[in-house]
Amino acid sequence: MTAPGDTPAWKKLEDDRRGVGEIHLRQLFDEDPARGESMVAEGAGLYLDYSKHRLDSSTVAHLAELAEQTGMPGHRDAMFRGERINVSENRSVLHVALRMPRHRSLVVDGVDVVREVHEVLTRMAAFCEQVRSGSWLGHTGMPIRNVINVGIGGSDLGPVMAYEALKDYSKRDMEFRFVSNVDGTDFFEATRDLDPAETLFIVSSKTFTTLETMTNAHTARDWLLDGLGGDRAAVARHFVAVSTNAEGVAEFGIDTDNMFGFWEWVGGRYSMDSAIGLSTMLAIGPDRFDDMLAGFHEMDRHFLETGLEQNLPVIHGLLAVWYRNFFGSQTQAVLPYSEYLHRFPAYLQQLTMESNGKRVTLAGQPVSTDTGAVFWGEPGTNGQHSFYQLLHQGTEMIPCDFIGFNHALNPLGEHQDLLVSNVFAQTEALAFGKTVEQLEAEGVDAALIPHRTFPGNRPTSTIMVDRLTPHSLGALVALYEHSVFTQGAIWGIDSFDQWGVELGKALAQKIIPELTAEASPELDHDSSTSNLIRRYRKAQGRN
Ligand code: F6P
């Protein structure tokens, strides 16, 4: 793989940055009034308008050349073939196999992974039918009304986001909750008003060793047994597991017949469409879960089969590279105009930052360009009344994704038209701003003109979707997955490992006994950490 900075395309892009990158969007639209119709792409039911970006079609061509010259398309094809592109963990990266249709086959290391995927999906569907129909009974003979997913990171964020996003399609007479934080408050608040006799826990953990999840799972087991009189046989009716670690699941006391597996080639943050989506399937039912997988798959095919300059995830990823590397943008905002997507930015934070927050290349050499940006966001219109001020008039230029829907799921009066008018108004205001001349023509007091001027020239993508459905959610998530892939491939990094979370985990393991030991422990930390430990011990009445 060629380092991005060593490609001929990079030099062209540096020229573009000094050229078109300095031209105001007002001028770009004046010079090419039809760019709002030409700088668009469509696929898998999603429409992307990228005309309000600080580039022109030749920059897009140069960015596509950068993708070619860094070997991105070949890397993509290798992922789809099941090659071990996660080099630091020596693993294939095959979340795309999770949504391949039943009739397909993908043989990796002699195993048809698509067949395995569908075996698990079939078992999940049978289980979900039993729970949803009320025929799966708890230990005391009552049907399940409450489902609590216990997991963290990729074993939580995808399930929560998908449940919230698809709530309108969910079985409303069931309660779905999610416990992730090792802060006991999370478990307490999730269970305080529930009857254990009607509650099912899904312990979701790829490794089945994660501190937070195992702590919460043990607390859940105690809570259940306390509530149901202590008969350990109750666990079998109230606990199921989603994991790759059958041994760990059995050791915990969950019958492996009630375990839904997945595979080491599914990264945690790419797993919401695997068995990790069991809570999603319980909420929306197996048929709608299939629709979601079909949406993912449609975007997968679009990514694999469409030319780079018409390819939504590729364009989206190239834009991220353009701003990160040529404008020095450190953050990117994602602004969904749907209350149902209120957890989407949090979900994307793990997807984007755990994937592309890397400082060495696949070969272990320091990267020569900046990599992943900070992703953040909130649903519109709420964000408009908090941080948009900075987007419009702050000193930072922050590229934004606006995500809108043509049709509301809850059409009430004029809400939908008002909501969408704000999507279009915000992107227009960010691009074109408001000039001194306009303010003068309006008769604004001269002293106020600097305060009321909007510089504009702030780039946005508008992603429009017909309606939020399981299918369109799948396509939207796959868009971001493959955008992240595109960026990581260009930067030449491993987007599928996450070694950066290990050090903190290891240090916490060392500190736990130092906090809990009865006798004052020998501390060999720095003076700040040691002092904090001593103060905490004192607060607990330990010396
Ligand atoms: O945060 C690190 C991480 O490994 C994530 O990648 C993963 O999604 C999360 O922890 C949970 O891991 P597990 O599913 O093994 O409990």
Side-chain angles (χ1 to χ4, degrees):
M1 275 183 157
T2 310
D6 294 340
T7 60
W10 192 268
K11 308 279 170 294
K12 292 184 190 174
L13 289 163
E14 284 176 335
D15 289 343
D16 289 344
R17 171 66 185 90
R18 287 187 289 268
V20 68
E22 285 299 313
I23 301 175
H24 200 288
L25 279 164
R26 284 183 211 122
Q27 190 181 332
L28 291 177
F29 272 86
D30 279 349
E31 286 170 2
D32 176 10
R35 61 184 269 143
E37 286 138 52
S38 59
M39 297 182 77
V40 299
E42 264 181 278
L46 271 48
Y47 177 86
L48 168 67
D49 175 342
Y50 60 96
S51 62
K52 295 190 183 87
H53 280 285
R54 293 175 58 174
L55 38 64
D56 59 14
S57 53
S58 71
T59 317
V60 176
H62 298 154
L63 285 163
E65 286 172 25
L66 177 68
E68 292 279 4
Q69 290 165 12
T70 50
M72 189 287 285
H75 199 54
R76 172 196 61 192
D77 298 349
M79 171 175 75
F80 275 83
R81 281 196 301 271
E83 289 177 24
R84 293 174 187 254
I85 62 162
N86 176 356
V87 292
S88 79
E89 295 180 317
N90 191 28
R91 289 179 182 166
S92 305
V93 173
L94 270 175
H95 44 279
V96 293
L98 296 170
R99 49 266 192 154
M100 285 183 181
R102 198 174 282 276
H103 64 266
R104 286 279 301 274
S105 150
L106 178 64
V107 178
V108 178
D109 297 334
V111 176
D112 184 351
V113 295
V114 179
R115 191 177 52 75
E116 290 196 342
V117 163
H118 281 276
E119 276 170 12
V120 175
L121 284 171
T122 303
R123 286 186 55 232
M124 286 167 65
F127 174 72
C128 289
E129 295 295 10
Q130 284 187 61
V131 175
R132 286 166 59 86
S133 68
S135 63
W136 175 281
L137 299 179
H139 186 60
T140 62
M142 293 175 73
I144 298 298
R145 280 188 193 288
N146 316 310
V147 174
I148 303 187
N149 186 75
V150 178
I152 197 163
S155 301
D156 167 70
L157 288 162
V160 184
M161 181 279 288
Y163 171 66
E164 293 294 333
L166 301 176
K167 207 180 242 176
D168 195 50
Y169 302 89
S170 71
K171 195 163 158 41
R172 296 288 196 164
D173 56 356
M174 286 178 72
E175 181 70 29
F176 289 85
R177 296 189 183 170
F178 300 84
V179 173
S180 53
N181 200 328
V182 77
D183 179 350
T185 295
D186 204 9
F187 183 85
F188 172 78
E189 289 293 341
T191 51
R192 53 174 283 279
D193 55 347
L194 301 186
D195 179 354
E198 301 180 322
T199 303
L200 175 79
F201 288 97
I202 304 173
V203 184
S204 297
S205 175
K206 182 174 173 180
T207 54
F208 228 72
T209 58
T210 304
L211 173 87
E212 292 89 339
T213 301
M214 296 325 295
T215 306
N216 280 320
H218 283 105
T219 302
R221 194 174 57 188
D222 293 346
W223 177 83
L224 182 94
L225 293 177
D226 277 357
L228 296 185
D231 182 356
R232 294 186 78 81
V235 172
R237 304 304 299 170
H238 293 270
F239 276 81
V240 298
V242 178
S243 188
T244 57
N245 176 1
E247 221 172 274
V249 169
E251 213 169 282
F252 179 84
I254 297 177
D255 187 345
T256 45
D257 281 353
N258 297 335
M259 165 177 158
F260 301 91
F262 59 116
W263 304 270
E264 66 164 27
W265 42 260
V266 185
R269 54 196 176 272
Y270 297 88
S271 67
M272 61 169 273
D273 46 338
S274 71
I276 289 289
L278 186 64
S279 57
T280 315
M281 194 192 269
L282 279 164
I284 64 172
D287 290 346
R288 285 178 171 142
F289 195 83
D290 278 354
D291 291 345
M292 184 180 81
L293 296 183
F296 271 102
H297 183 64
E298 204 177 324
M299 185 57 80
D300 294 342
R301 291 196 58 172
H302 173 88
F303 179 50
L304 187 62
E305 294 166 5
T306 310
L308 299 185
E309 290 179 49
Q310 281 307 313
N311 192 312
L312 268 84
V314 172
I315 297 168
H316 191 272
L318 292 174
L319 289 167
V321 169
W322 174 236
Y323 292 111
R324 184 77 187 100
N325 294 139
F326 295 91
F327 288 77
S329 296
Q330 295 185 358
T331 86
Q332 174 158 350
V334 181
L335 309 165
Y337 278 67
S338 161
E339 192 56 27
Y340 282 127
L341 287 181
H342 71 110
R343 295 289 291 168
F344 193 60
Y347 169 77
L348 284 185
Q349 285 187 320
Q350 188 197 16
L351 180 67
T352 57
M353 296 200 270
E354 201 165 77
S355 296
N356 284 342
K358 307 291 162 63
R359 51 182 284 286
V360 297
T361 65
L362 288 164
Q365 298 300 315
V367 290
S368 49
T369 57
D370 281 324
T371 61
V374 172
F375 273 69
W376 59 282
E378 276 290 319
T381 56
N382 298 21
Q384 291 174 205
H385 296 272
S386 70
F387 54 80
Y388 278 40
Q389 165 65 39
L390 186 148
L391 299 181
H392 285 287
Q393 289 188 315
T395 51
E396 286 292 310
M397 180 195 84
I398 299 177
C400 304
D401 284 355
F402 282 75
I403 303 171
F405 295 87
N406 290 334
H407 299 290
L409 294 178
N410 300 294
L412 292 176
E414 56 180 355
H415 284 252
Q416 174 66 6
D417 295 336
L418 295 180
L419 179 68
V420 174
S421 72
N422 275 279
V423 177
F424 302 155
Q426 290 295 328
T427 60
E428 191 175 30
L430 285 162
F432 302 104
K434 190 153 191 183
T435 62
V436 172
E437 295 72 35
Q438 285 172 308
L439 290 161
E440 281 171 352
E442 286 175 13
V444 171
D445 184 340
L448 287 181
I449 285 184
H451 299 284
R452 295 188 54 180
T453 303
F454 287 67
N457 214 18
R458 307 212 162 187
T460 60
S461 292
T462 307
I463 299 167
M464 289 301 295
V465 187
D466 199 44
R467 193 184 298 272
L468 180 57
T469 61
H471 188 283
S472 63
L473 180 71
L476 192 61
V477 173
L479 165 71
Y480 279 92
E481 286 179 348
H482 299 319
S483 167
V484 165
F485 180 94
T486 300
Q487 297 163 49
I490 289 172
W491 289 322
I493 56 178
D494 190 334
S495 297
F496 300 100
D497 61 13
Q498 57 284 317
W499 297 105
V501 298
E502 294 302 324
L503 179 59
K505 280 195 209 170
L507 289 179
Q509 288 298 343
K510 174 172 152 61
I511 291 174
I512 293 165
E514 294 173 343
L515 296 183
T516 55
E518 276 196 22
S520 174
E522 286 277 323
L523 298 175
D524 62 354
H525 300 274
D526 59 276
S527 61
S528 160
T529 310
S530 295
N531 191 37
L532 289 166
I533 291 171
R534 278 193 293 272
R535 280 179 57 82
Y536 177 82
R537 284 183 58 84
K538 200 165 169 211
Q540 308 301 317
R542 301 168 194 146
N543 283 313

